[in-house]
PDB file of all heavy atoms in Angstrom:
ATOM      1  N   HIS N 192     -30.250  23.498  29.098  1.00 88.00           N
ATOM      2  CA  HIS N 192     -30.794  24.663  28.382  1.00 88.00           C
ATOM      3  C   HIS N 192     -31.675  24.233  27.208  1.00 88.00           C
ATOM      4  O   HIS N 192     -32.718  24.838  26.943  1.00 88.00           O
ATOM      5  CB  HIS N 192     -29.649  25.551  27.886  1.00 88.00           C
ATOM      6  CG  HIS N 192     -28.826  26.150  28.981  1.00 88.00           C
ATOM      7  ND1 HIS N 192     -29.274  27.197  29.761  1.00 88.00           N
ATOM      8  CD2 HIS N 192     -27.591  25.845  29.433  1.00 88.00           C
ATOM      9  CE1 HIS N 192     -28.349  27.505  30.647  1.00 88.00           C
ATOM     10  NE2 HIS N 192     -27.318  26.702  30.473  1.00 88.00           N
ATOM     11  N   ILE N 193     -31.230  23.185  26.495  1.00 89.00           N
ATOM     12  CA  ILE N 193     -32.017  22.698  25.361  1.00 89.00           C
ATOM     13  C   ILE N 193     -33.347  22.124  25.847  1.00 89.00           C
ATOM     14  O   ILE N 193     -34.414  22.397  25.270  1.00 89.00           O
ATOM     15  CB  ILE N 193     -31.230  21.635  24.569  1.00 89.00           C
ATOM     16  CG1 ILE N 193     -29.918  22.216  24.022  1.00 89.00           C
ATOM     17  CG2 ILE N 193     -32.085  21.079  23.440  1.00 89.00           C
ATOM     18  CD1 ILE N 193     -30.084  23.372  23.077  1.00 89.00           C
ATOM     19  N   LEU N 194     -33.298  21.342  26.924  1.00 85.00           N
ATOM     20  CA  LEU N 194     -34.534  20.796  27.485  1.00 85.00           C
ATOM     21  C   LEU N 194     -35.444  21.919  27.970  1.00 85.00           C
ATOM     22  O   LEU N 194     -36.667  21.872  27.804  1.00 85.00           O
ATOM     23  CB  LEU N 194     -34.213  19.833  28.631  1.00 85.00           C
ATOM     24  CG  LEU N 194     -33.534  18.517  28.236  1.00 85.00           C
ATOM     25  CD1 LEU N 194     -33.142  17.728  29.483  1.00 85.00           C
ATOM     26  CD2 LEU N 194     -34.441  17.688  27.342  1.00 85.00           C
ATOM     27  N   GLY N 195     -34.839  22.953  28.584  1.00 87.00           N
ATOM     28  CA  GLY N 195     -35.620  24.099  29.039  1.00 87.00           C
ATOM     29  C   GLY N 195     -36.295  24.811  27.883  1.00 87.00           C
ATOM     30  O   GLY N 195     -37.424  25.304  28.003  1.00 87.00           O
ATOM     31  N   SER N 196     -35.596  24.870  26.745  1.00 85.00           N
ATOM     32  CA  SER N 196     -36.183  25.491  25.554  1.00 85.00           C
ATOM     33  C   SER N 196     -37.363  24.678  25.040  1.00 85.00           C
ATOM     34  O   SER N 196     -38.387  25.227  24.612  1.00 85.00           O
ATOM     35  CB  SER N 196     -35.110  25.618  24.466  1.00 85.00           C
ATOM     36  OG  SER N 196     -35.599  26.292  23.336  1.00 85.00           O
ATOM     37  N   ILE N 197     -37.243  23.353  25.108  1.00 81.00           N
ATOM     38  CA  ILE N 197     -38.346  22.477  24.686  1.00 81.00           C
ATOM     39  C   ILE N 197     -39.563  22.684  25.587  1.00 81.00           C
ATOM     40  O   ILE N 197     -40.700  22.762  25.119  1.00 81.00           O
ATOM     41  CB  ILE N 197     -37.898  21.002  24.715  1.00 81.00           C
ATOM     42  CG1 ILE N 197     -36.834  20.753  23.643  1.00 81.00           C
ATOM     43  CG2 ILE N 197     -39.096  20.071  24.526  1.00 81.00           C
ATOM     44  CD1 ILE N 197     -36.190  19.377  23.718  1.00 81.00           C
ATOM     45  N   TYR N 198     -39.307  22.773  26.906  1.00 80.00           N
ATOM     46  CA  TYR N 198     -40.400  22.909  27.864  1.00 80.00           C
ATOM     47  C   TYR N 198     -40.896  24.351  27.999  1.00 80.00           C
ATOM     48  O   TYR N 198     -41.875  24.598  28.695  1.00 80.00           O
ATOM     49  CB  TYR N 198     -39.954  22.402  29.242  1.00 80.00           C
ATOM     50  CG  TYR N 198     -39.547  20.951  29.257  1.00 80.00           C
ATOM     51  CD1 TYR N 198     -38.467  20.523  30.024  1.00 80.00           C
ATOM     52  CD2 TYR N 198     -40.232  20.002  28.504  1.00 80.00           C
ATOM     53  CE1 TYR N 198     -38.077  19.183  30.043  1.00 80.00           C
ATOM     54  CE2 TYR N 198     -39.850  18.670  28.508  1.00 80.00           C
ATOM     55  CZ  TYR N 198     -38.776  18.268  29.280  1.00 80.00           C
ATOM     56  OH  TYR N 198     -38.393  16.949  29.285  1.00 80.00           O
ATOM     57  N   GLY N 199     -40.199  25.289  27.361  1.00 84.00           N
ATOM     58  CA  GLY N 199     -40.621  26.682  27.424  1.00 84.00           C
ATOM     59  C   GLY N 199     -40.174  27.419  28.667  1.00 84.00           C
ATOM     60  O   GLY N 199     -40.677  28.505  28.963  1.00 84.00           O
ATOM     61  N   THR N 200     -39.191  26.858  29.390  1.00 85.00           N
ATOM     62  CA  THR N 200     -38.712  27.515  30.616  1.00 85.00           C
ATOM     63  C   THR N 200     -37.459  28.351  30.376  1.00 85.00           C
ATOM     64  O   THR N 200     -37.053  29.120  31.244  1.00 85.00           O
ATOM     65  CB  THR N 200     -38.424  26.474  31.717  1.00 85.00           C
ATOM     66  OG1 THR N 200     -37.479  25.519  31.213  1.00 85.00           O
ATOM     67  CG2 THR N 200     -39.701  25.763  32.123  1.00 85.00           C
ATOM     68  N   THR N 201     -36.802  28.175  29.224  1.00 87.00           N
ATOM     69  CA  THR N 201     -35.650  29.008  28.865  1.00 87.00           C
ATOM     70  C   THR N 201     -35.836  29.524  27.443  1.00 87.00           C
ATOM     71  O   THR N 201     -36.565  28.926  26.648  1.00 87.00           O
ATOM     72  CB  THR N 201     -34.319  28.229  28.947  1.00 87.00           C
ATOM     73  OG1 THR N 201     -34.373  27.117  28.039  1.00 87.00           O
ATOM     74  CG2 THR N 201     -34.051  27.731  30.350  1.00 87.00           C
ATOM     75  N   ASP N 202     -35.152  30.622  27.158  1.00 91.00           N
ATOM     76  CA  ASP N 202     -35.221  31.251  25.835  1.00 91.00           C
ATOM     77  C   ASP N 202     -33.777  31.428  25.364  1.00 91.00           C
ATOM     78  O   ASP N 202     -33.147  32.432  25.653  1.00 91.00           O
ATOM     79  CB  ASP N 202     -35.946  32.592  25.941  1.00 91.00           C
ATOM     80  CG  ASP N 202     -36.088  33.289  24.597  1.00 91.00           C
ATOM     81  OD1 ASP N 202     -36.044  32.599  23.565  1.00 91.00           O
ATOM     82  OD2 ASP N 202     -36.216  34.538  24.584  1.00 91.00           O
ATOM     83  N   THR N 203     -33.252  30.427  24.674  1.00 94.00           N
ATOM     84  CA  THR N 203     -31.823  30.423  24.374  1.00 94.00           C
ATOM     85  C   THR N 203     -31.518  30.384  22.887  1.00 94.00           C
ATOM     86  O   THR N 203     -32.146  29.659  22.127  1.00 94.00           O
ATOM     87  CB  THR N 203     -31.122  29.230  25.051  1.00 94.00           C
ATOM     88  OG1 THR N 203     -29.724  29.256  24.758  1.00 94.00           O
ATOM     89  CG2 THR N 203     -31.710  27.896  24.594  1.00 94.00           C
ATOM     90  N   TRP N 204     -30.574  31.185  22.483  1.00 96.00           N
ATOM     91  CA  TRP N 204     -29.944  31.063  21.165  1.00 96.00           C
ATOM     92  C   TRP N 204     -28.521  30.532  21.347  1.00 96.00           C
ATOM     93  O   TRP N 204     -28.016  29.784  20.525  1.00 96.00           O
ATOM     94  CB  TRP N 204     -29.870  32.432  20.464  1.00 96.00           C
ATOM     95  CG  TRP N 204     -28.994  33.392  21.215  1.00 96.00           C
ATOM     96  CD1 TRP N 204     -29.347  34.220  22.239  1.00 96.00           C
ATOM     97  CD2 TRP N 204     -27.579  33.561  21.050  1.00 96.00           C
ATOM     98  NE1 TRP N 204     -28.249  34.892  22.731  1.00 96.00           N
ATOM     99  CE2 TRP N 204     -27.148  34.510  22.008  1.00 96.00           C
ATOM    100  CE3 TRP N 204     -26.644  33.001  20.181  1.00 96.00           C
ATOM    101  CZ2 TRP N 204     -25.817  34.914  22.121  1.00 96.00           C
ATOM    102  CZ3 TRP N 204     -25.315  33.407  20.300  1.00 96.00           C
ATOM    103  CH2 TRP N 204     -24.916  34.350  21.256  1.00 96.00           C
ATOM    104  N   ALA N 205     -27.886  30.932  22.488  1.00 96.00           N
ATOM    105  CA  ALA N 205     -26.475  30.611  22.719  1.00 96.00           C
ATOM    106  C   ALA N 205     -26.244  29.109  22.830  1.00 96.00           C
ATOM    107  O   ALA N 205     -25.220  28.598  22.370  1.00 96.00           O
ATOM    108  CB  ALA N 205     -25.977  31.325  23.974  1.00 96.00           C
ATOM    109  N   ALA N 206     -27.191  28.382  23.458  1.00 95.00           N
ATOM    110  CA  ALA N 206     -27.022  26.935  23.597  1.00 95.00           C
ATOM    111  C   ALA N 206     -27.004  26.263  22.225  1.00 95.00           C
ATOM    112  O   ALA N 206     -26.231  25.326  21.985  1.00 95.00           O
ATOM    113  CB  ALA N 206     -28.130  26.359  24.466  1.00 95.00           C
ATOM    114  N   PHE N 207     -27.844  26.743  21.306  1.00 96.00           N
ATOM    115  CA  PHE N 207     -27.882  26.164  19.965  1.00 96.00           C
ATOM    116  C   PHE N 207     -26.627  26.533  19.171  1.00 96.00           C
ATOM    117  O   PHE N 207     -26.114  25.711  18.402  1.00 96.00           O
ATOM    118  CB  PHE N 207     -29.142  26.617  19.231  1.00 96.00           C
ATOM    119  CG  PHE N 207     -30.399  25.970  19.732  1.00 96.00           C
ATOM    120  CD1 PHE N 207     -31.293  26.682  20.518  1.00 96.00           C
ATOM    121  CD2 PHE N 207     -30.689  24.649  19.433  1.00 96.00           C
ATOM    122  CE1 PHE N 207     -32.455  26.086  20.993  1.00 96.00           C
ATOM    123  CE2 PHE N 207     -31.845  24.037  19.899  1.00 96.00           C
ATOM    124  CZ  PHE N 207     -32.734  24.761  20.684  1.00 96.00           C
ATOM    125  N   TRP N 208     -26.139  27.755  19.340  1.00 98.00           N
ATOM    126  CA  TRP N 208     -24.898  28.152  18.669  1.00 98.00           C
ATOM    127  C   TRP N 208     -23.728  27.332  19.228  1.00 98.00           C
ATOM    128  O   TRP N 208     -22.871  26.862  18.478  1.00 98.00           O
ATOM    129  CB  TRP N 208     -24.673  29.649  18.849  1.00 98.00           C
ATOM    130  CG  TRP N 208     -23.417  30.233  18.262  1.00 98.00           C
ATOM    131  CD1 TRP N 208     -22.562  31.091  18.876  1.00 98.00           C
ATOM    132  CD2 TRP N 208     -22.893  30.064  16.929  1.00 98.00           C
ATOM    133  NE1 TRP N 208     -21.529  31.447  18.037  1.00 98.00           N
ATOM    134  CE2 TRP N 208     -21.714  30.825  16.831  1.00 98.00           C
ATOM    135  CE3 TRP N 208     -23.303  29.320  15.830  1.00 98.00           C
ATOM    136  CZ2 TRP N 208     -20.930  30.881  15.667  1.00 98.00           C
ATOM    137  CZ3 TRP N 208     -22.519  29.368  14.657  1.00 98.00           C
ATOM    138  CH2 TRP N 208     -21.366  30.134  14.594  1.00 98.00           C
ATOM    139  N   ALA N 209     -23.717  27.112  20.533  1.00 97.00           N
ATOM    140  CA  ALA N 209     -22.669  26.294  21.146  1.00 97.00           C
ATOM    141  C   ALA N 209     -22.716  24.864  20.606  1.00 97.00           C
ATOM    142  O   ALA N 209     -21.677  24.268  20.301  1.00 97.00           O
ATOM    143  CB  ALA N 209     -22.817  26.293  22.668  1.00 97.00           C
ATOM    144  N   LEU N 210     -23.925  24.291  20.480  1.00 96.00           N
ATOM    145  CA  LEU N 210     -24.061  22.936  19.933  1.00 96.00           C
ATOM    146  C   LEU N 210     -23.605  22.881  18.479  1.00 96.00           C
ATOM    147  O   LEU N 210     -22.960  21.915  18.056  1.00 96.00           O
ATOM    148  CB  LEU N 210     -25.510  22.465  20.021  1.00 96.00           C
ATOM    149  CG  LEU N 210     -26.005  21.912  21.351  1.00 96.00           C
ATOM    150  CD1 LEU N 210     -27.442  21.420  21.211  1.00 96.00           C
ATOM    151  CD2 LEU N 210     -25.121  20.789  21.867  1.00 96.00           C
ATOM    152  N   THR N 211     -23.930  23.930  17.717  1.00 97.00           N
ATOM    153  CA  THR N 211     -23.509  23.994  16.317  1.00 97.00           C
ATOM    154  C   THR N 211     -21.993  23.922  16.222  1.00 97.00           C
ATOM    155  O   THR N 211     -21.437  23.181  15.406  1.00 97.00           O
ATOM    156  CB  THR N 211     -24.008  25.295  15.659  1.00 97.00           C
ATOM    157  OG1 THR N 211     -25.431  25.359  15.735  1.00 97.00           O
ATOM    158  CG2 THR N 211     -23.580  25.371  14.203  1.00 97.00           C
ATOM    159  N   VAL N 212     -21.310  24.693  17.068  1.00 98.00           N
ATOM    160  CA  VAL N 212     -19.843  24.728  17.055  1.00 98.00           C
ATOM    161  C   VAL N 212     -19.268  23.398  17.527  1.00 98.00           C
ATOM    162  O   VAL N 212     -18.282  22.898  16.976  1.00 98.00           O
ATOM    163  CB  VAL N 212     -19.327  25.899  17.918  1.00 98.00           C
ATOM    164  CG1 VAL N 212     -17.807  25.874  18.013  1.00 98.00           C
ATOM    165  CG2 VAL N 212     -19.782  27.236  17.338  1.00 98.00           C
TER     166      VAL N 212
END
Side-chain angles (χ1 to χ4, degrees):
H192 296 285
I193 300 299
L194 291 174
S196 184
I197 293 172
Y198 300 141
T200 56
T201 60
D202 181 23
T203 181
W204 64 273
F207 287 105
W208 178 226
L210 279 183
T211 301
V212 175

